[in-house]
């Protein structure tokens, strides 16, 4: 669903080349290498009169009526698989694309989230502000009316130890309806099942060696043939045991494999 810009009062005092902004405006053609995929999930119009640094109380009513609108938007943005060193390049991309779509926008605030479910609360990744000198409240009538962009900067508030926070959040997230602790137990059960199949293969191979004694040219091919049968039988048992674990937790074998991959990537212990 697209986000439509909302017109403010006294729009005649400000250029009004307003265009709808798509909910996801990322463009692969100009995306920097360090930027990540993003999605704007909500836009809040916070536009007001371009007072600049002069307090409202110091304006006469007639002066206020003549002031142009300072177009200010707050965007809630979800960043996918972000790392701390990718925040600034991604923010720069977002600002570039928003201002290329709407050249009348005077101030932009971005609240950055790691997950769409968090986007109704305060940001967790951080925030960024695009404004004169990187601070809100510096837009005066000249800037708002003429779209003067001199001295515009982006300021950042990034969560401390962001990579650690995101890693911990990923570690504790539910997956397939299971907490990380349950997934660790599923992995342990899977390893036990795999070990059981491995034990069968080892015992059967030992029986073959006991039967033939030392491997030599006379019996090598026979031993290889029996080993192949044992391997096939072991693989069959492995599939049976893995299917039993999947059935126990009411998940698919593919999901079981994903949990196994997660365990190996994160070095989950087996004890």
């Amino acid at each position: 669903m697209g986000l439509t810009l909302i017109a403010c009062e006294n729009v005649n005092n400000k250029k009004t080349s307003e265009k709808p902004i798509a909910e996801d405006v990322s463009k692969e053609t100009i995306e920097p290498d360090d930027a990540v995929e993003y999605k704007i999930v909500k836009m809040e119009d916070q536009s007001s009169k371009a007072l600049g640094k002069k307090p409202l109380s110091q304006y006469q009513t007639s002066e206020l009526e003549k002031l142009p609108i300072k177009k200010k938007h707050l965007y809630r943005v979800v960043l996918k698989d972000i790392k701390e060193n990718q925040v600034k390049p991604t923010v720069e991309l977002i600002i570039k694309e928003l201002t290329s779509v709407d050249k009348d926008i005077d101030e932009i605030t971005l609240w950055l989230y790691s997950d769409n479910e968090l986007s109704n609360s305060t940001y967790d990744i951080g925030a960024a502000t695009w404004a004169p000198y990187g601070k809100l409240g510096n837009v005066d009538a000249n800037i708002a009316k003429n779209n003067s962009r001199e001295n515009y900067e982006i300021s950042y508030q990034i969560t401390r130890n962001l990579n650690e926070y995101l890693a911990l959040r990923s570690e504790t997230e539910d997956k397939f309806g299971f907490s990380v602790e349950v997934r660790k137990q599923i992995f342990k059960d899977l390893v036990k099942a795999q070990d059981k199949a491995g034990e069968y293969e080892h015992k059967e191979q030992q029986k073959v060696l006991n039967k033939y004694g030392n491997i030599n040219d006379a019996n090598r091919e026979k031993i290889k043939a029996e080993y192949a049968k044992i391997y096939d039988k072991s693989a069959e048992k492995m599939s049976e045991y893995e299917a039993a674990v999947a059935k126990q937790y009411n998940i698919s074998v593919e999901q079981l494999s994903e949990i196994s991959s997660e365990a190996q990537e994160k070095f989950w212990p087996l004890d």
Side-chain angles (χ1 to χ4, degrees):
M1 179 177 67
L3 293 172
T4 304
L5 300 182
I6 303 171
C8 300
E9 60 178 336
N10 283 344
V11 292
N12 291 331
N13 292 324
K14 172 111 173 125
K15 295 189 293 297
T16 57
S17 57
E18 299 188 0
K19 303 177 181 178
I21 293 181
E23 192 168 279
D24 186 349
V25 293
S26 56
K27 301 175 183 176
E28 294 182 0
T29 55
I30 64 172
E31 185 172 355
D33 292 339
D34 290 335
V36 301
E37 180 181 346
Y38 71 89
K39 184 174 184 180
I40 296 174
V41 295
K42 187 176 182 182
M43 183 274 282
E44 299 173 25
D45 191 330
Q46 300 178 341
S47 302
S48 61
K49 289 289 188 174
L51 302 177
K53 294 182 179 181
K54 186 177 176 180
L56 177 64
S57 59
Q58 294 184 12
Y59 282 94
Q60 299 292 328
T61 302
S62 58
E63 291 179 305
L64 283 174
E65 290 177 352
K66 295 178 181 179
L67 284 178
I69 294 296
K70 173 186 68 177
K71 197 168 190 178
K72 175 186 175 184
H73 288 168
L74 166 65
Y75 297 91
R76 297 175 186 252
V77 186
V78 175
L79 305 179
K80 184 177 181 181
D81 300 327
I82 191 79
K83 300 294 183 184
E84 187 169 350
N85 66 335
Q86 297 172 311
V87 173
K88 290 185 178 181
T90 305
V91 166
E92 290 171 2
L93 173 66
I94 297 170
I95 297 296
K96 179 178 181 180
E97 295 188 346
L98 289 174
T99 54
S100 67
V101 171
D102 184 357
K103 298 185 184 301
D104 287 336
I105 196 163
D106 299 305
E107 289 180 343
I108 293 175
T109 299
L110 302 178
W111 284 7
L112 310 172
Y113 301 88
S114 60
D115 193 292
N116 187 57
E117 293 181 358
L118 302 175
S119 62
N120 286 324
S121 58
T122 306
Y123 53 83
D124 68 325
I125 288 179
T129 298
W130 178 78
Y133 305 102
K135 294 183 179 181
L136 300 175
N138 286 327
V139 176
D140 57 22
N142 175 63
I143 294 173
K145 186 175 182 179
N146 299 309
N147 289 341
S148 175
R149 300 301 177 225
E150 294 180 8
N151 302 316
Y152 264 69
E153 299 174 7
I154 303 175
S155 60
Y156 298 87
Q157 292 176 286
I158 301 175
T159 298
R160 290 183 61 187
N161 302 318
L162 179 61
N163 289 341
E164 289 83 351
Y165 160 75
L166 293 174
L168 180 61
R169 174 171 168 75
S170 176
E171 176 75 10
T172 56
E173 281 182 342
D174 282 358
K175 191 173 185 179
F176 308 131
F178 299 116
S179 67
V180 65
E181 291 304 317
V182 175
R183 297 201 305 279
K184 286 181 178 180
Q185 185 59 52
I186 293 173
F187 174 63
K188 290 178 182 179
D189 291 346
L190 174 62
V191 171
K192 288 179 182 178
Q194 293 170 339
D195 287 346
K196 187 177 178 181
E199 289 171 5
Y200 164 81
E201 183 175 10
H202 177 73
K203 288 180 180 179
E204 292 302 310
Q205 287 175 344
Q206 190 61 49
K207 288 179 183 179
V208 172
L209 288 178
N210 293 339
K211 175 182 175 181
Y212 289 99
N214 293 330
I215 301 175
N216 52 50
D217 290 341
N219 62 24
R220 181 173 286 106
E221 292 304 317
K222 291 180 180 180
I223 291 174
K224 285 175 63 178
E226 293 200 33
Y227 268 27
K229 291 180 181 178
I230 292 170
Y231 176 81
D232 290 341
K233 185 65 176 180
S234 175
E236 183 180 319
K237 287 182 174 293
M238 179 82 77
S239 296
E240 291 176 1
Y241 298 154
E242 290 178 349
V245 174
K247 183 177 180 181
Q248 177 185 349
Y249 290 97
N250 195 29
I251 58 177
S252 67
V253 174
E254 290 74 19
Q255 290 172 327
L256 187 65
S257 177
E258 286 190 43
I259 291 174
S260 178
S261 297
E262 179 185 14
Q264 295 173 51
E265 290 171 3
K266 298 179 179 178
F267 303 101
W268 287 351
L270 293 174
D271 53 7

